[in-house]
Amino acid sequence: MNKYEKYKNILVAQPHSRVLQITLNRSRARNALSKKLLAEMADALTIATGDDDVRCVVVTGDHKAFSAGADIKEMPEDGIPMFADAERLRAWKTIEQFRKPLIAAVNGYALGGGCELVLLCDIVVCGKNAQFGTPEIKISAFPGDGGTQRLPRLIGKARAMYMILTGAQINATLAYEWGLVSEVLPSDQTIARALEIAKVVSEHSPIALEMSKAEVLMSFSKPLDESLSLERQMLLWQTEDHDEGIASFIEKRKPKYTGR
Ligand code: DAK
Protein backbone atom coordinates (compact mmCIF):
# COMPACT_ATOMS: atom_id res chain seq x y z
CA MET A 1 0.00 0.00 0.00
CA ASN A 2 3.02 2.32 0.09
CA LYS A 3 2.13 3.96 -3.17
CA TYR A 4 -1.12 5.31 -1.63
CA GLU A 5 0.24 6.39 1.73
CA LYS A 6 1.44 9.88 0.96
CA TYR A 7 -1.88 11.74 1.26
CA LYS A 8 -3.23 14.08 3.96
CA ASN A 9 -6.67 15.02 2.67
CA ILE A 10 -7.74 11.51 1.77
CA LEU A 11 -7.14 8.15 3.41
CA VAL A 12 -6.58 5.20 1.13
CA ALA A 13 -7.00 1.59 2.18
CA GLN A 14 -7.40 -1.76 0.49
CA PRO A 15 -10.04 -3.54 2.62
CA HIS A 16 -10.34 -6.44 0.15
CA SER A 17 -7.93 -7.56 -2.49
CA ARG A 18 -8.79 -5.64 -5.69
CA VAL A 19 -10.95 -3.08 -3.84
CA LEU A 20 -9.57 0.35 -2.98
CA GLN A 21 -11.33 2.58 -0.45
CA ILE A 22 -10.80 6.33 -0.58
CA THR A 23 -12.07 8.20 2.49
CA LEU A 24 -12.25 11.98 2.27
CA ASN A 25 -10.32 13.21 5.28
CA ARG A 26 -11.27 16.83 6.01
CA SER A 27 -13.92 16.13 8.62
CA ARG A 28 -13.59 19.52 10.29
CA ALA A 29 -14.39 21.24 6.98
CA ARG A 30 -17.21 18.75 6.22
CA ASN A 31 -14.88 17.19 3.65
CA ALA A 32 -14.98 20.28 1.44
CA LEU A 33 -13.21 19.60 -1.84
CA SER A 34 -10.14 21.78 -1.55
CA LYS A 35 -7.76 21.93 -4.46
CA LYS A 36 -5.33 19.74 -2.53
CA LEU A 37 -7.98 17.14 -1.76
CA LEU A 38 -9.03 16.96 -5.41
CA ALA A 39 -5.40 16.70 -6.52
CA GLU A 40 -4.74 13.87 -4.05
CA MET A 41 -7.85 12.02 -5.16
CA ALA A 42 -6.89 12.41 -8.81
CA ASP A 43 -3.38 11.17 -8.02
CA ALA A 44 -4.71 8.09 -6.18
CA LEU A 45 -7.06 7.30 -9.08
CA THR A 46 -4.23 7.72 -11.58
CA ILE A 47 -2.16 5.19 -9.64
CA ALA A 48 -5.22 2.92 -9.30
CA THR A 49 -5.69 3.03 -13.08
CA GLY A 50 -2.38 1.24 -13.58
CA ASP A 51 -2.72 -0.97 -10.51
CA ASP A 52 -3.81 -4.49 -11.45
CA ASP A 53 -4.65 -5.10 -7.79
CA VAL A 54 -7.47 -2.55 -8.03
CA ARG A 55 -10.63 -3.39 -9.94
CA CYS A 56 -13.13 -1.21 -8.10
CA VAL A 57 -12.93 1.90 -5.89
CA VAL A 58 -15.24 2.91 -3.03
CA VAL A 59 -15.38 6.62 -2.18
CA THR A 60 -16.73 7.74 1.16
CA GLY A 61 -16.63 10.53 3.74
CA ASP A 62 -17.60 10.44 7.40
CA HIS A 63 -20.85 10.21 9.34
CA LYS A 64 -21.62 13.95 9.08
CA ALA A 65 -20.61 14.60 5.52
CA PHE A 66 -19.70 12.78 2.36
CA SER A 67 -18.64 16.24 1.17
CA ALA A 68 -20.01 19.80 1.51
CA GLY A 69 -18.68 20.65 -1.96
CA ALA A 70 -16.09 23.07 -3.27
CA ASP A 71 -14.06 24.74 -0.55
CA ILE A 72 -15.78 28.10 -0.25
CA LYS A 73 -12.90 29.46 1.82
CA GLU A 74 -10.53 28.90 -1.10
CA MET A 75 -12.67 31.03 -3.35
CA PRO A 76 -10.96 34.36 -3.80
CA GLU A 77 -13.06 37.48 -4.36
CA ASP A 78 -12.75 36.89 -8.08
CA GLY A 79 -14.04 33.33 -7.77
CA ILE A 80 -14.10 32.32 -11.42
CA PRO A 81 -10.28 32.08 -11.82
CA MET A 82 -10.29 29.61 -8.94
CA PHE A 83 -12.76 27.39 -10.80
CA ALA A 84 -10.75 27.72 -14.01
CA ASP A 85 -7.55 26.73 -12.20
CA ALA A 86 -5.83 24.22 -14.48
CA GLU A 87 -4.83 21.86 -11.68
CA ARG A 88 -8.37 21.81 -10.29
CA LEU A 89 -9.88 21.19 -13.74
CA ARG A 90 -7.33 18.42 -14.38
CA ALA A 91 -8.27 16.73 -11.11
CA TRP A 92 -12.00 16.74 -11.94
CA LYS A 93 -11.21 15.42 -15.45
CA THR A 94 -9.19 12.56 -13.96
CA ILE A 95 -12.10 11.60 -11.71
CA GLU A 96 -14.57 11.93 -14.60
CA GLN A 97 -12.43 9.78 -16.86
CA PHE A 98 -11.57 7.08 -14.33
CA ARG A 99 -12.32 3.85 -16.20
CA LYS A 100 -12.77 1.43 -13.30
CA PRO A 101 -16.06 1.25 -11.37
CA LEU A 102 -16.51 3.88 -8.65
CA ILE A 103 -18.94 3.26 -5.80
CA ALA A 104 -20.05 6.08 -3.50
CA ALA A 105 -20.95 5.35 0.13
CA VAL A 106 -22.72 8.51 1.26
CA ASN A 107 -23.53 9.48 4.82
CA GLY A 108 -24.57 12.99 5.83
CA TYR A 109 -24.24 15.93 3.47
CA ALA A 110 -23.44 15.55 -0.23
CA LEU A 111 -23.75 19.15 -1.34
CA GLY A 112 -22.55 21.15 -4.33
CA GLY A 113 -19.32 19.60 -5.60
CA GLY A 114 -19.96 16.76 -3.14
CA CYS A 115 -23.19 16.00 -4.97
CA GLU A 116 -21.35 16.36 -8.30
CA LEU A 117 -18.78 13.83 -7.08
CA VAL A 118 -21.66 11.46 -6.31
CA LEU A 119 -22.88 11.99 -9.89
CA LEU A 120 -19.50 10.74 -11.14
CA CYS A 121 -19.85 7.50 -9.18
CA ASP A 122 -21.29 4.47 -10.93
CA ILE A 123 -23.16 2.91 -8.00
CA VAL A 124 -24.35 5.01 -5.04
CA VAL A 125 -25.43 3.67 -1.67
CA CYS A 126 -26.39 6.03 1.11
CA GLY A 127 -27.36 6.10 4.74
CA LYS A 128 -30.77 7.22 5.95
CA ASN A 129 -29.07 10.39 7.24
CA ALA A 130 -27.85 11.41 3.76
CA GLN A 131 -28.81 14.82 2.38
CA PHE A 132 -28.20 15.78 -1.22
CA GLY A 133 -28.27 19.29 -2.61
CA THR A 134 -26.85 21.86 -4.98
CA PRO A 135 -26.80 25.00 -2.79
CA GLU A 136 -24.49 26.99 -5.08
CA ILE A 137 -27.34 29.39 -5.94
CA LYS A 138 -27.11 30.65 -2.35
CA ILE A 139 -23.61 31.99 -3.07
CA SER A 140 -24.67 33.24 -6.49
CA ALA A 141 -23.11 30.38 -8.40
CA PHE A 142 -24.31 27.14 -10.00
CA PRO A 143 -23.12 23.53 -9.91
CA GLY A 144 -20.40 24.09 -12.49
CA ASP A 145 -18.45 20.87 -12.09
CA GLY A 146 -20.90 18.95 -14.26
CA GLY A 147 -23.98 19.25 -12.05
CA THR A 148 -26.06 21.40 -14.38
CA GLN A 149 -25.63 18.73 -17.07
CA ARG A 150 -25.55 15.42 -15.20
CA LEU A 151 -28.31 16.11 -12.69
CA PRO A 152 -31.13 16.70 -15.24
CA ARG A 153 -29.98 13.73 -17.30
CA LEU A 154 -30.22 11.55 -14.20
CA ILE A 155 -33.31 12.82 -12.37
CA GLY A 156 -35.11 14.87 -15.04
CA LYS A 157 -35.39 18.58 -15.75
CA ALA A 158 -38.08 19.61 -13.25
CA ARG A 159 -36.41 17.88 -10.31
CA ALA A 160 -32.95 19.18 -11.27
CA MET A 161 -34.33 22.70 -11.67
CA TYR A 162 -35.99 22.40 -8.27
CA MET A 163 -32.67 21.46 -6.65
CA ILE A 164 -30.50 23.94 -8.59
CA LEU A 165 -32.84 26.96 -8.45
CA THR A 166 -33.91 26.61 -4.81
CA GLY A 167 -30.70 25.19 -3.35
CA ALA A 168 -32.93 22.97 -1.19
CA GLN A 169 -31.66 19.65 0.10
CA ILE A 170 -33.39 16.35 -0.55
CA ASN A 171 -33.26 13.43 1.85
CA ALA A 172 -32.17 9.86 1.21
CA THR A 173 -35.68 8.57 0.49
CA LEU A 174 -36.32 11.22 -2.17
CA ALA A 175 -32.82 10.73 -3.63
CA TYR A 176 -33.62 7.02 -3.97
CA GLU A 177 -37.02 7.70 -5.53
CA TRP A 178 -35.46 10.13 -8.00
CA GLY A 179 -32.74 7.70 -9.04
CA LEU A 180 -29.77 9.52 -7.56
CA VAL A 181 -28.90 6.54 -5.38
CA SER A 182 -29.32 2.81 -5.78
CA GLU A 183 -29.85 1.78 -2.13
CA VAL A 184 -30.66 3.42 1.22
CA LEU A 185 -29.42 1.74 4.39
CA PRO A 186 -29.10 2.41 8.10
CA SER A 187 -26.15 4.80 8.10
CA ASP A 188 -23.85 2.51 10.08
CA GLN A 189 -24.15 -0.07 7.28
CA THR A 190 -23.40 2.18 4.31
CA ILE A 191 -19.69 1.52 3.96
CA ALA A 192 -19.99 -2.21 4.63
CA ARG A 193 -22.65 -2.48 1.92
CA ALA A 194 -20.58 -0.47 -0.56
CA LEU A 195 -17.60 -2.73 0.11
CA GLU A 196 -19.77 -5.82 -0.29
CA ILE A 197 -20.93 -4.59 -3.70
CA ALA A 198 -17.34 -3.64 -4.60
CA LYS A 199 -16.16 -7.14 -3.73
CA VAL A 200 -18.71 -8.69 -6.11
CA VAL A 201 -17.81 -6.19 -8.85
CA SER A 202 -14.08 -6.79 -8.39
CA GLU A 203 -14.42 -10.51 -8.99
CA HIS A 204 -15.43 -9.84 -12.59
CA SER A 205 -13.11 -9.36 -15.54
CA PRO A 206 -11.46 -5.92 -15.37
CA ILE A 207 -11.72 -5.49 -19.11
CA ALA A 208 -15.42 -6.39 -19.10
CA LEU A 209 -15.97 -3.96 -16.21
CA GLU A 210 -14.28 -1.11 -18.06
CA MET A 211 -16.20 -1.86 -21.26
CA SER A 212 -19.50 -2.03 -19.36
CA LYS A 213 -18.85 1.29 -17.61
CA ALA A 214 -17.83 2.98 -20.86
CA GLU A 215 -20.92 1.66 -22.64
CA VAL A 216 -23.35 2.79 -19.94
CA LEU A 217 -21.74 6.24 -19.79
CA MET A 218 -22.09 6.55 -23.59
CA SER A 219 -25.85 6.55 -23.06
CA PHE A 220 -25.50 9.94 -21.33
CA SER A 221 -23.23 11.54 -23.91
CA LYS A 222 -24.08 10.21 -27.36
CA PRO A 223 -27.16 9.91 -29.57
CA LEU A 224 -28.72 6.43 -29.41
CA ASP A 225 -27.85 5.35 -32.97
CA GLU A 226 -24.18 6.23 -32.40
CA SER A 227 -23.91 4.59 -28.98
CA LEU A 228 -25.69 1.45 -30.20
CA SER A 229 -23.22 1.01 -33.03
CA LEU A 230 -20.28 1.66 -30.67
CA GLU A 231 -21.73 -0.92 -28.27
CA ARG A 232 -21.78 -3.48 -31.10
CA GLN A 233 -18.14 -2.70 -31.95
CA MET A 234 -17.21 -3.30 -28.34
CA LEU A 235 -19.08 -6.61 -28.33
CA LEU A 236 -17.05 -7.72 -31.32
CA TRP A 237 -13.85 -7.47 -29.30
CA GLN A 238 -12.64 -10.92 -28.44
CA THR A 239 -10.81 -11.03 -25.13
CA GLU A 240 -9.02 -13.82 -23.30
CA ASP A 241 -11.21 -13.02 -20.30
CA HIS A 242 -14.34 -13.69 -22.37
CA ASP A 243 -12.93 -17.07 -23.46
CA GLU A 244 -12.04 -17.76 -19.82
CA GLY A 245 -15.55 -16.80 -18.67
CA ILE A 246 -17.12 -19.25 -21.11
CA ALA A 247 -14.62 -22.03 -20.31
CA SER A 248 -15.14 -21.60 -16.55
CA PHE A 249 -18.91 -21.84 -16.97
CA ILE A 250 -18.66 -25.03 -19.00
CA GLU A 251 -16.05 -26.55 -16.66
CA LYS A 252 -18.09 -25.50 -13.56
CA ARG A 253 -15.21 -23.60 -11.91
CA LYS A 254 -14.43 -20.05 -10.85
CA PRO A 255 -12.95 -17.94 -13.66
CA LYS A 256 -9.41 -16.57 -13.40
CA TYR A 257 -9.47 -13.21 -15.11
CA THR A 258 -6.32 -11.43 -16.23
CA GLY A 259 -7.69 -8.30 -17.88
CA ARG A 260 -6.58 -9.35 -21.36
N1 DAK B 1 -16.20 25.01 2.10
C1 DAK B 1 -15.39 25.37 3.13
N2 DAK B 1 -15.67 25.14 4.44
C2 DAK B 1 -16.83 24.52 4.71
C3 DAK B 1 -17.75 24.12 3.69
C4 DAK B 1 -17.38 24.40 2.32
N3 DAK B 1 -18.15 24.03 1.28
N4 DAK B 1 -18.80 23.55 4.29
C5 DAK B 1 -18.56 23.58 5.62
N5 DAK B 1 -17.38 24.16 5.87
C6 DAK B 1 -16.76 24.40 7.18
C7 DAK B 1 -17.50 25.48 7.95
O1 DAK B 1 -17.10 26.77 7.52
C8 DAK B 1 -17.08 25.18 9.38
O2 DAK B 1 -15.79 25.66 9.58
P1 DAK B 1 -15.38 26.40 10.97
O3 DAK B 1 -16.35 27.50 11.15
O4 DAK B 1 -15.53 25.29 12.01
O5 DAK B 1 -13.97 26.82 10.74
C9 DAK B 1 -17.02 23.66 9.36
O6 DAK B 1 -16.89 23.26 7.99
C10 DAK B 1 -18.27 22.98 9.90
O7 DAK B 1 -19.37 23.55 9.22
P2 DAK B 1 -20.73 23.97 9.97
O8 DAK B 1 -20.46 24.48 11.32
O9 DAK B 1 -21.49 24.83 9.03
O10 DAK B 1 -21.40 22.52 10.09
P3 DAK B 1 -22.92 22.12 10.09
O11 DAK B 1 -22.94 20.65 10.33
O12 DAK B 1 -23.72 23.02 10.99
O13 DAK B 1 -23.43 22.41 8.58
C11 DAK B 1 -23.29 22.24 6.16
C12 DAK B 1 -22.91 21.64 7.55
C13 DAK B 1 -22.60 21.38 5.12
C14 DAK B 1 -24.83 22.14 5.96
C15 DAK B 1 -22.87 23.73 6.10
O14 DAK B 1 -21.53 23.84 6.55
C16 DAK B 1 -22.96 24.30 4.72
O15 DAK B 1 -24.04 24.73 4.29
N6 DAK B 1 -21.82 24.34 4.00
C17 DAK B 1 -21.75 24.94 2.69
C18 DAK B 1 -22.29 24.02 1.65
C19 DAK B 1 -22.23 24.62 0.24
O16 DAK B 1 -22.67 25.76 0.02
N7 DAK B 1 -21.66 23.86 -0.73
C20 DAK B 1 -21.51 24.34 -2.10
C21 DAK B 1 -20.15 24.93 -2.28
S1 DAK B 1 -19.91 25.59 -3.95
C22 DAK B 1 -18.14 26.31 -10.93
C23 DAK B 1 -19.00 27.18 -10.28
C24 DAK B 1 -19.39 26.86 -8.98
C25 DAK B 1 -18.96 25.70 -8.36
C26 DAK B 1 -18.14 24.85 -9.04
C27 DAK B 1 -17.71 25.14 -10.33
N8 DAK B 1 -17.70 26.67 -12.28
C28 DAK B 1 -18.21 27.87 -12.89
C29 DAK B 1 -16.70 25.85 -12.92
C30 DAK B 1 -19.38 25.50 -6.96
C31 DAK B 1 -19.24 24.40 -6.35
C32 DAK B 1 -19.58 24.23 -4.92
O17 DAK B 1 -19.58 23.13 -4.47
Side-chain angles (χ1 to χ4, degrees):
M1 284 301 296
N2 286 344
K3 54 195 158 189
Y4 297 106
E5 270 175 6
K6 58 193 168 188
Y7 308 116
K8 289 199 175 87
N9 298 280
I10 58 171
L11 301 173
V12 185
Q14 191 143 18
H16 302 303
S17 62
R18 301 176 183 153
V19 174
L20 201 71
Q21 179 178 336
I22 297 180
T23 305
L24 308 187
N25 188 36
R26 297 190 72 218
S27 284
R28 274 184 283 174
R30 298 292 179 266
N31 291 321
L33 303 173
S34 62
K35 267 176 60 179
K36 279 199 179 129
L37 185 152
L38 286 172
E40 289 182 5
M41 187 163 170
D43 189 66
L45 292 180
T46 302
I47 297 172
T49 297
D51 186 345
D52 290 342
D53 292 333
V54 175
R55 290 190 187 169
C56 184
V57 177
V58 170
V59 183
T60 193
D62 58 34
H63 186 71
K64 282 192 176 156
F66 176 77
S67 168
D71 192 318
I72 299 172
K73 291 172 186 166
E74 275 186 350
M75 296 177 190
E77 280 172 16
D78 53 347
I80 294 299
M82 179 266 196
F83 289 118
D85 181 278
E87 195 190 344
R88 189 179 176 280
L89 291 177
R90 207 167 31 246
W92 270 105
K93 214 31 158 197
T94 302
I95 303 168
E96 267 172 36
Q97 293 180 342
F98 186 60
R99 295 202 305 266
K100 301 182 184 188
L102 275 175
I103 301 180
V106 180
N107 281 323
Y109 298 109
L111 303 179
C115 189
E116 290 170 301
L117 182 57
V118 169
L119 292 172
L120 292 183
C121 291
D122 305 305
I123 300 173
V124 182
V125 300
C126 78
K128 286 185 177 155
N129 70 342
Q131 291 283 336
F132 298 84
T134 49
E136 288 89 340
I137 197 79
K138 296 181 187 173
I139 55 166
S140 192
F142 56 84
D145 286 313
T148 62
Q149 301 309 301
R150 292 198 175 91
L151 200 57
R153 280 169 168 79
L154 194 61
I155 66 175
K157 176 188 154 194
R159 291 162 171 172
M161 285 289 196
Y162 167 73
M163 290 178 72
I164 292 169
L165 300 182
T166 67
Q169 295 175 14
I170 61 165
N171 65 20
T173 310
L174 207 51
Y176 174 75
E177 285 169 9
W178 287 4
L180 200 53
V181 306
S182 40
E183 277 179 52
V184 182
L185 302 133
S187 35
D188 59 352
Q189 293 170 25
T190 315
I191 294 176
R193 177 62 182 141
L195 290 173
E196 185 181 47
I197 297 170
K199 193 162 180 289
V200 173
V201 169
S202 69
E203 281 163 9
H204 298 309
S205 155
I207 191 162
L209 290 172
E210 287 189 22
M211 284 165 69
S212 301
K213 174 167 175 169
E215 285 171 13
V216 173
L217 289 182
M218 275 190 319
S219 73
F220 290 93
S221 63
K222 294 193 187 305
L224 186 62
D225 52 354
E226 197 183 324
S227 56
L228 282 176
S229 67
L230 282 168
E231 184 199 44
R232 288 203 185 93
Q233 284 172 33
M234 282 196 172
L235 283 177
L236 291 176
W237 285 8
Q238 271 307 309
T239 62
E240 289 177 25
D241 274 359
H242 183 49
D243 294 343
E244 168 64 6
I246 291 169
S248 67
F249 176 82
I250 293 169
E251 292 160 21
K252 298 185 189 299
R253 60 174 175 79
K254 277 191 96 168
K256 283 192 191 133
Y257 292 124
T258 59
R260 286 191 294 273

